[in-house]
């Protein structure tokens, strides 16, 4: 009870029930509401309740628990007809007495308020109890705790990324080393095609992995957010920014784990800078897929609807990535879709960095992906991720509480 009282005094709304509290617990109550048969017997400071009933000639005995006294006083005694009539009459009397007390109190309070605030401007009511930065701090603190507590999700993310990375590494073991050691030798074209295939599959794996980590969990979280938002607990902006910041480390860690295994087992170019570029690109592809899924899950009514919509956009991003069909063979009325495919730009960035400076194959890569510069790839990846996040934020605001426009 001391803890609940402390939380209430710090601005939290506390709802609790307690049966026949002891006297030391009763002294913790700030205000007291006594009801009998749905009618108010008393409402006011708990410390004034004994004196109030004493004024009505209902005195609490010395060394007697006030809570027990009040329960006996306002309860109906059904042990006999006479006692029932007596207790009901007492309840009627207490109700009338409190109504008169309340009217007198209200009249006195109105007079004091009119005298005190007659010439003072009315202060504008604040929409939120805390500042934006305070909200962001506490939302991030809560989100970070939730990430740490989700042990099963964390273990599953690490396990699946490790398993897929090892499988890919074993299937394409040392193919990159063999190719880059002799890019013009026998079997170079087959190794080149194999490398394009594994880079494309890495993009698919990271995109779908990020999608499924969000698609079923976020709609449940959204329901909680909308309920807390309706009560004015925090702003949508603080929740959304806090969620994005606190969940980024997990995806960054799983990304570095996946990249470290696949990159060196496949035998891509042994350069620390190129490895870092590979890792950042893989993470940006995953982050774009996650951001797109969050936007769709925010707009959809439930997880089932989101699960039926997200694959459509994912498949479009894959089809127009430039790997399955050359860009010059895509019909003109559909060709524009390739320019919004985040997988296309992620795949292009990784492929360009790996085959840059390699005779013959550098020109082949430029022909395949349309001479897109590396800078353009990263600008588009960052911009698309921000656009998806902004869309999700907008949808969350639009789908807010129906009758509370200020939120």
């Amino acid at each position: 009870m001391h803890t609940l009282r402390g939380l209430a005094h710090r601005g939290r709304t506390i709802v609790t029930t307690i049966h026949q509290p002891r006297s030391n617990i009763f002294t913790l109550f700030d205000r007291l509401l006594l009801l009998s048969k749905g009618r108010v017997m008393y409402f006011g400071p708990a410390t004034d309740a004994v004196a109030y009933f004493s004024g009505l000639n209902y005195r609490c005995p010395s060394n007697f628990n006030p809570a027990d006294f009040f329960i006996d006083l306002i309860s109906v005694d059904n042990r006999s007809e006479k006692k029932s009539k007596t207790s009901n009459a007492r309840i009627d009397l207490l109700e009338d007495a409190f109504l008169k007390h309340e009217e007198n109190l209200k009249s006195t309070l109105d007079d004091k308020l009119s005298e005190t605030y007659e010439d003072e401007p009315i202060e504008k009511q604040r929409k939120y109890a805390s500042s934006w930065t305070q909200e962001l701090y506490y939302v991030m603190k809560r989100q970070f705790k939730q990430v740490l507590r989700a042990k099963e999700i964390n273990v599953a993310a690490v396990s699946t990324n490790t398993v897929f990375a090892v499988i890919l590494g074993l299937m394409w073991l040392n193919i990159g080393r063999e190719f880059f050691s002799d890019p013009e030798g026998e079997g170079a074209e087959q190794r080149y095609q194999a490398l394009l295939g594994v880079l494309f599959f890495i993009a698919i794996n990271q995109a779908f992995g990020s999608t499924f980590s969000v698609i079923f969990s976020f709609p449940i979280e959204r329901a909680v957010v909308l309920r807390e938002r309706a009560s004015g607990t925090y702003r949508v902006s603080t929740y959304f920014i806090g969620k994005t910041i606190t969940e980024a480390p997990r995806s960054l860690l799983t990304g570095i784990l996946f990249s470290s295994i696949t990159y060196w087992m496949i035998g891509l170019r042994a350069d620390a800078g190129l490895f870092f570029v590979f890792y950042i690109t893989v993470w940006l592809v995953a982050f774009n897929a996650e951001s797109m899924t969050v936007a769709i899950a925010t707009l959809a009514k439930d997880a089932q609807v989101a699960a039926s919509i997200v694959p459509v956009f994912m498949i479009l991003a894959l089809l127009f990535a430039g790997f399955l069909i050359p860009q010059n063979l895509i019909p003109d009325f559909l060709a524009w879709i390739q320019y919004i495919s985040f997988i296309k730009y992620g795949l292009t960035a990784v492929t360009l960095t790996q085959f840059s400076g390699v005779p013959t194959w550098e020109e082949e890569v430029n022909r395949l992906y349309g001479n897109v510069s590396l800078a353009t790839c990263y600008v588009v990846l960052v911009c698309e991720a921000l656009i998806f996040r902004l869309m999700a934020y907008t949808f969350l605001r639009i789908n807010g509480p129906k009758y509370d426009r200020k939120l």
Side-chain angles (χ1 to χ4, degrees):
M1 292 303 295
H2 281 282
T3 302
L4 294 178
R5 190 169 188 257
L7 290 172
H9 286 176
R10 290 198 292 270
R12 297 291 188 272
T13 299
I14 306 296
V15 179
T16 185
T17 59
I18 184 169
H19 180 65
Q20 290 184 305
R22 301 193 306 270
S23 56
N24 62 331
I25 293 179
F26 180 79
T27 57
L28 298 176
F29 295 168
D30 295 316
R31 297 181 65 82
L32 178 67
L33 171 63
L34 297 176
L35 294 173
S36 180
K37 300 167 62 176
R39 295 141 66 184
V40 179
M41 303 291 103
Y42 175 79
F43 180 54
T47 54
D48 296 344
V50 173
Y52 169 77
F53 286 106
S54 296
L56 299 177
N57 293 322
Y58 294 103
R59 293 177 176 83
C60 179
S62 301
N63 301 322
F64 198 87
N65 184 359
D68 292 334
F69 171 73
F70 296 144
I71 291 174
D72 293 338
L73 183 64
I74 66 174
S75 298
V76 177
D77 191 344
N78 291 316
R79 290 180 294 177
S80 66
E81 183 179 355
K82 180 180 179 180
K83 290 181 178 180
S84 177
K85 288 181 179 180
T86 301
S87 57
N88 276 292
R90 184 175 64 245
I91 290 172
D92 293 337
L93 176 64
L94 293 175
E95 181 187 22
D96 293 339
F98 180 74
L99 290 175
K100 292 178 182 179
H101 170 75
E102 193 177 37
E103 289 176 1
N104 294 334
L105 186 63
K106 184 176 182 298
S107 177
T108 304
L109 182 61
D110 288 342
D111 292 340
K112 289 182 179 180
L113 288 174
S114 62
E115 293 173 2
T116 305
Y117 299 103
E118 183 175 0
D119 299 324
E120 294 185 11
I122 299 176
E123 183 181 355
K124 185 177 180 181
Q125 183 182 5
R126 295 177 62 183
K127 292 182 179 179
Y128 302 96
S130 304
S131 65
W132 192 91
T133 52
Q134 285 178 317
E135 285 185 5
L136 180 62
Y137 169 76
Y138 285 109
V139 168
M140 287 181 61
K141 186 177 180 180
R142 185 184 72 169
Q143 290 291 127
F144 188 69
K145 287 181 179 179
Q146 289 179 341
V147 171
L148 293 179
R149 288 171 181 170
K151 295 180 180 179
E152 293 182 357
I153 296 177
N154 296 332
V155 171
V158 172
S159 301
T160 54
N161 273 276
T162 302
V163 169
F164 272 111
V166 171
I167 292 175
L168 290 177
L170 291 174
M171 289 185 66
W172 277 267
L173 187 63
N174 292 324
I175 289 181
R177 291 186 182 87
E178 296 171 359
F179 173 81
F180 291 115
S181 63
D182 187 12
E184 301 290 341
E186 184 179 356
E189 184 173 356
Q190 287 183 325
R191 296 187 183 93
Y192 165 76
Q193 294 293 337
L195 289 176
L196 290 182
V198 72
L199 293 176
F200 180 65
F201 187 82
I202 287 173
I204 296 175
N205 175 265
Q206 292 300 290
F208 274 100
S210 298
T211 295
F212 289 117
S213 67
V214 174
I215 195 169
F216 292 108
S217 62
F218 184 76
I220 300 174
E221 184 178 344
R222 184 192 66 170
V224 177
V225 172
L226 292 178
R227 184 171 63 250
E228 292 178 341
R229 176 191 170 191
S231 64
T233 305
Y234 46 73
R235 299 167 179 84
V236 178
S237 56
T238 53
Y239 158 74
F240 208 79
I241 294 175
K243 175 181 175 63
T244 301
I245 294 174
T246 52
E247 292 187 351
R250 180 169 59 190
S251 61
L252 286 169
L253 289 174
T254 54
I256 192 70
L257 174 65
F258 181 86
S259 300
S260 299
I261 296 173
T262 54
Y263 193 92
W264 303 110
M265 288 187 70
I266 293 170
L268 298 176
R269 298 177 70 173
D271 184 277
L274 293 181
F275 168 75
F276 180 76
V277 170
F278 175 84
Y279 161 57
I280 291 297
T281 307
V282 167
W283 180 79
L284 281 173
V285 171
F287 187 67
N288 268 271
E290 178 184 313
S291 301
M292 182 191 71
T293 305
V294 170
I296 295 173
T298 305
L299 183 61
K301 293 182 179 180
D302 52 48
Q304 286 72 23
V305 175
S308 63
I309 297 175
V310 169
V312 176
F313 288 90
M314 287 296 301
I315 291 173
L316 286 175
L318 293 174
L319 289 176
F320 291 88
F323 177 78
L324 298 176
I325 180 173
Q327 297 176 4
N328 60 339
L329 296 181
I330 301 175
D332 293 339
F333 66 93
L334 293 176
W336 61 272
I337 300 178
Q338 65 182 298
Y339 300 111
I340 60 174
S341 169
F342 60 89
I343 294 181
K344 165 189 165 63
Y345 292 101
L347 185 59
T348 301
V350 171
T351 309
L352 285 176
T353 55
Q354 289 298 313
F355 292 96
S356 177
V358 180
T360 306
W361 304 112
E362 182 178 9
E363 292 80 4
E364 180 66 20
V365 168
N366 288 327
R367 183 193 62 80
L368 181 63
Y369 293 110
N371 290 310
V372 180
S373 68
L374 192 61
T376 300
C377 292
Y378 287 113
V379 168
V380 173
L381 285 172
V382 172
C383 289
E384 281 203 39
L386 292 176
I387 290 173
F388 285 138
R389 291 281 163 173
L390 183 60
M391 290 171 62
Y393 169 75
T394 304
F395 294 152
L396 197 59
R397 286 188 64 89
I398 293 174
N399 291 338
K402 184 177 180 181
Y403 298 110
D404 197 347
R405 301 300 182 187
K406 73 179 181 181
L407 299 176

